[in-house]
Amino acid sequence: MALLNRVQAYYPTVTLWNRLEGRPRSENFERAVKAQVRDALWMLSKQWQMGEFIGDDAGSPVLAKAHMETTRLTKYKGGSADAEALEQEIPLEVKVEHQAIAFKQGNTEISLDIRLLMGRQWLKWATAIDPAYRQAYIDKYGIRNNVQPDPDAEADATICAHRKVWQQFAAVTGRRMDGYRLYVYLKENATPAHKASDGITLANTQTKKDVLDGLGAKFIAWYEKLYYQPNEVRKNESWKPNYLEHQFAVSAPQKGKEKVLTAEEYYHGHLDWYNLDIDQGDDELETGTPPQDVEDKITHAFVPTSVTFGGMPHPRWWTFENWKTNLGFVNPDTTDLNKLLLLDFFLTYSNDWFIVPFTLPVGSLAKIRGLTVTNVFNEKIWVEAAGRGDDENWQRWNMFNLNVKGTDHVPADLGAVVLPTSRKVQEGKPLEEIFLLRDEIANMVWGVESVVPLPTGKGHRGKEVGYELKAKLQQLIGDVVPPDTLTDNLAKIRFRVVNSVPENWIPFMPVHIDGQKRQIQLQRAAMPRILENDDRVPKKVEPKTSLLRHGLEKSPKETYRLNENEVGRSGTRIKKNFQRTRWHNGEVYNWVGIKKENGRGEGSSGLAFDQLIPNKNRLADDG
């Protein structure tokens, strides 16, 4: 024995056992596959080792009874607008996100695709009454008033600078109807009210005119149902350009008062419960209408069901788990707390979690007032919420509960909200996309228009659009004037005050907040468009996206200021596109929404001042 220990000291060994398996010593496998166990004490020892003999309140639940109070969201307030009733037949994200479709940019009519769509729909209805109405409405409501784009006119440079855009406008001008112009005419508040038959000089009978006027109301309803967007009755002020976020509030009646939920930083594109906070400082959203009776109390008895999922640890030691779920492939980062919690639940707990089913209507707030569980020993257990306590207690653990706005030490709210939001939203290609980034070399912030809307209604690369427009304007200047050989252009170098940057780079300059000496905001500025041999005062390069044109469409034009903390070191990406979803009643909603994401970091525009550069126009060589 001493010799064996001495040998192990010089040659240490490690013994491992991976699995227990039968080793057959004959060709008969019948006894081996039975996996017989001859040592019952060993099995009892393993059960003791795994803690299976330790039990405390181990009775399984057989009956549960819950008492719940419910209410429903009935009011909505977007931004600084007045509160209004919350329609249950509209998804909440549509109500919050919808923006107006831009049909004009400066002096240029855009969104040609929707104008043609509306025109085709009207002509389809009108020609069913009389085929002669087709040309009559094209003559009155033609694209661009039936005037072809002039490639030699600076006013049409936005269209003619892009070959495909010019081709599309040339193909439909004088041949197709602008349905949006008819829509605007019918919606104008005039006395007497505008009618669809106004200005149509065909030999109309009164019967045909009445039918056309009836189609006008149908046309308005058709378009407003096709695209959900603001109008004179339904306004949306939830989008805050200074913060690049949506701000809104909803409320529900509760015991004679109102429970107000506010969202001050919604920009994710997917609206859910975690975007809202409980605002105890606001008792009511004033709408001028009496509160609705939507509160209810429900007592429900049911049998709890064990929680099961693929790959869960099995309660018995010798039972294999489902191989289809491999939790080892989940690779969370150290900051992915949700994944870490989920993995800990998957790998630690098995048969000691139960589901308490409770069906709630869409758009409701619910709070469990009492929950009792009866186990197999006929013991009744009163279950309290895990997240109860002070709302500011950082050690309090809960899930799916709303945060109470502010830092006051108030009791935590234990209710749950089921928002009336859609499960899936389809997004189209970006109509507009901008990147707000910091340029440390130039010491300023830029709004880079990555995708800009063309007059046809489609988005295109902003850099190409800027180059093409500048090249077209340079072409309209005319021939290059030769320099004066006696006085100018004799030096090898010349002084340049400032260079140019691509036209899709819009500068933002720091300015002081009114009444503040230290805090600043970012104010939209403009670069001059410098064209060679142009003796006119350079014009400012205006943004081509509605995201950066805030205030330019108003008369007089307004300044656009952006909070500085909205542009971090990683930058900010904002995109605007068409979105589509189907509600639970089968209704389809299309709208234009805005979404904000993290950017791509810092950038450099190449802007430089006070440069000495080679003189390309030099006529003589002194060397």
Side-chain angles (χ1 to χ4, degrees):
M1 187 67 180
L3 179 60
L4 178 61
N5 294 336
R6 187 177 303 170
V7 172
Q8 291 180 346
Y10 285 103
Y11 303 98
T13 60
V14 177
T15 305
L16 297 176
W17 288 274
N18 293 332
R19 53 188 291 184
L20 296 177
E21 61 181 3
R23 178 178 293 178
R25 298 182 180 181
S26 64
E27 296 181 356
N28 184 6
F29 295 94
E30 180 179 356
R31 182 180 178 183
V33 296
K34 291 182 179 180
Q36 296 178 353
V37 178
R38 299 304 179 98
D39 192 351
L41 180 61
W42 184 86
M43 295 294 297
L44 292 174
S45 300
K46 295 303 295 183
Q47 287 182 284
W48 169 81
Q49 183 182 6
M50 298 304 300
E52 293 191 8
F53 296 153
I54 301 175
D56 185 12
D57 295 334
S60 301
V62 294
L63 182 66
K65 183 178 289 187
H67 179 71
M68 182 173 292
E69 295 179 352
T70 64
T71 183
R72 186 165 55 85
L73 299 174
T74 58
K75 296 181 181 180
Y76 168 81
K77 181 180 179 181
S80 58
D82 296 333
E84 57 182 303
L86 179 62
E87 304 95 329
Q88 297 299 318
E89 64 275 8
I90 301 175
L92 184 57
E93 60 259 57
V94 179
K95 187 84 173 174
V96 173
E97 299 177 6
H98 71 279
Q99 301 290 319
I101 300 175
F103 284 91
K104 198 169 185 180
Q105 187 180 95
N107 296 324
T108 305
E109 295 181 349
I110 61 175
S111 298
L112 178 64
D113 51 354
I114 300 180
R115 292 175 182 269
L116 294 174
L117 172 66
M118 299 172 67
R120 286 195 301 267
Q121 184 64 36
W122 176 258
L123 292 179
K124 177 182 177 180
W125 293 342
T127 53
I129 302 173
D130 191 340
Y133 284 145
R134 176 182 180 84
Q135 190 59 42
Y137 277 99
I138 292 177
D139 294 339
K140 183 172 178 59
Y141 301 103
I143 300 294
R144 287 177 48 88
N145 290 323
N146 298 322
V147 178
Q148 288 283 351
D150 186 2
D152 296 327
E154 186 173 341
D156 295 338
T158 305
I159 296 177
C160 299
H162 320 292
R163 184 180 299 274
K164 293 183 178 180
V165 176
W166 184 10
Q167 290 174 346
Q168 293 187 37
F169 271 89
V172 299
T173 301
R175 301 181 180 90
R176 293 294 182 267
M177 176 187 170
D178 188 345
Y180 180 72
R181 290 181 55 203
L182 174 61
Y183 172 80
V184 172
Y185 178 79
L186 296 176
K187 293 286 291 186
E188 287 180 353
N189 295 326
T191 305
H194 290 173
K195 299 180 180 179
S197 61
D198 294 344
I200 304 301
T201 58
L202 295 179
N204 298 328
T205 64
Q206 188 62 38
T207 303
K208 290 184 178 181
K209 286 186 177 182
D210 294 341
V211 175
L212 284 176
D213 296 339
L215 287 178
K218 181 181 178 181
F219 181 68
I220 293 176
W222 167 81
Y223 172 69
E224 292 181 353
K225 184 179 181 181
L226 181 62
Y227 296 106
Y228 192 89
Q229 55 182 327
N231 51 38
E232 65 275 2
V233 178
R234 180 180 62 243
K235 298 181 180 180
N236 183 25
E237 298 183 9
S238 65
W239 176 253
K240 300 300 179 182
N242 297 342
Y243 299 93
L244 302 177
E245 296 163 347
H246 294 282
Q247 297 180 4
F248 68 96
V250 292
S251 68
Q254 190 177 62
K255 296 183 178 180
K257 298 182 181 180
E258 285 191 6
K259 191 172 185 178
V260 181
L261 311 178
T262 61
E264 296 184 349
E265 298 181 359
Y266 170 57
Y267 55 83
H268 313 80
H270 176 69
L271 184 59
D272 214 332
W273 61 271
Y274 47 77
N275 297 119
L276 299 172
D277 295 329
I278 298 175
D279 188 0
Q280 293 186 337
D282 199 347
D283 297 333
E284 183 181 8
L285 297 181
E286 294 287 348
T287 59
T289 58
Q292 302 181 30
D293 186 13
V294 294
E295 297 183 70
D296 193 11
K297 296 180 180 180
I298 306 173
T299 301
H300 185 40
F302 43 83
V303 177
T305 305
S306 299
V307 175
T308 59
F309 52 89
M312 66 179 295
H314 202 277
R316 303 307 300 169
W317 175 251
W318 291 110
T319 305
F320 292 99
E321 291 84 4
N322 186 359
W323 60 271
K324 294 182 179 180
T325 303
N326 191 345
L327 301 178
F329 284 165
V330 181
N331 186 22
D333 194 75
T334 55
T335 58
D336 294 337
L337 297 182
N338 292 333
K339 289 184 179 179
L340 293 173
L341 286 173
L342 189 63
L343 285 177
D344 184 67
F345 171 77
F346 280 177
L347 299 174
T348 305
Y349 302 98
S350 58
N351 65 336
D352 51 357
W353 285 78
F354 293 85
I355 298 176
V356 179
F358 217 108
T359 303
L360 295 174
V362 175
S364 62
L365 278 78
K367 187 174 183 180
I368 295 180
R369 287 299 181 183
L371 175 62
T372 59
V373 178
T374 304
N375 62 14
V376 293
F377 302 114
N378 200 26
E379 296 176 335
K380 291 181 170 52
I381 303 172
W382 178 261
V383 180
E384 295 184 346
R388 65 189 184 279
D390 189 355
D391 186 71
E392 295 300 317
N393 183 10
W394 66 272
Q395 293 181 323
R396 181 177 59 88
W397 186 92
N398 67 339
M399 291 185 68
F400 309 112
N401 290 140
L402 299 176
N403 176 52
V404 179
K405 186 178 178 181
T407 58
D408 297 335
H409 291 275
V410 296
D413 188 276
L414 303 178
V417 58
V418 182
L419 292 179
T421 56
S422 59
R423 180 180 179 88
K424 179 66 175 178
V425 176
Q426 295 177 325
E427 296 184 0
K429 294 182 179 180
L431 298 174
E432 300 178 7
E433 183 182 50
I434 64 173
F435 287 90
L436 294 169
L437 52 86
R438 293 187 177 272
D439 184 358
E440 296 297 341
I441 298 178
N443 195 22
M444 60 192 305
V445 172
W446 295 89
V448 182
E449 297 179 316
S450 176
V451 177
V452 301
L454 292 175
T456 56
K458 296 183 178 181
H460 197 67
R461 295 178 58 184
K463 188 174 183 179
E464 293 183 6
V465 173
Y467 278 135
E468 291 175 354
L469 178 58
K470 186 175 182 180
K472 181 61 179 179
L473 294 175
Q474 183 65 58
Q475 179 185 0
L476 298 177
I477 295 300
D479 298 334
V480 177
V481 179
D484 189 348
T485 58
L486 298 178
T487 58
D488 297 333
N489 303 303
L490 296 179
K492 294 182 179 181
I493 58 175
R494 63 186 180 93
F495 177 75
R496 183 166 63 185
V497 178
V498 60
N499 64 346
S500 61
V501 298
E503 293 201 354
N504 63 318
W505 286 62
I506 307 300
F508 281 80
M509 304 298 295
V511 295
H512 284 288
I513 298 177
D514 297 338
Q516 301 288 336
K517 293 184 178 180
R518 293 187 177 182
Q519 295 183 356
I520 63 172
Q521 285 182 321
L522 301 174
Q523 178 174 310
R524 180 190 58 208
M527 293 291 295
R529 179 182 286 126
I530 301 176
L531 303 175
E532 295 183 5
N533 305 315
D534 189 4
D535 55 357
R536 298 173 298 179
V537 177
K539 294 183 179 181
K540 297 179 180 179
V541 178
E542 293 185 352
K544 300 176 180 60
T545 59
S546 61
L547 296 172
L548 296 182
R549 289 183 63 85
H550 178 70
L552 292 181
E553 303 297 342
K554 298 182 179 180
S555 181
K557 297 180 179 180
E558 296 181 357
T559 302
Y560 174 38
R561 290 188 177 184
L562 176 66
N563 285 359
E564 185 196 14
N565 55 3
E566 300 300 331
V567 186
R569 182 172 294 274
S570 62
T572 304
R573 176 192 181 191
I574 310 171
K575 61 180 181 179
K576 182 177 181 181
N577 53 10
F578 280 104
Q579 302 184 37
R580 185 178 188 269
T581 189
R582 185 184 295 273
W583 197 221
H584 59 76
N585 57 2
E587 197 76 22
V588 175
Y589 289 91
N590 301 304
W591 75 99
V592 176
I594 303 176
K595 183 178 180 180
K596 183 174 74 171
E597 302 174 349
N598 286 334
R600 300 177 180 175
E602 300 178 355
S604 177
S605 61
L607 181 65
F609 299 89
D610 302 333
Q611 293 178 300
L612 291 177
I613 60 175
N615 192 352
K616 297 180 181 180
N617 294 329
R618 183 172 177 272
L619 299 180
D621 187 2
D622 297 337

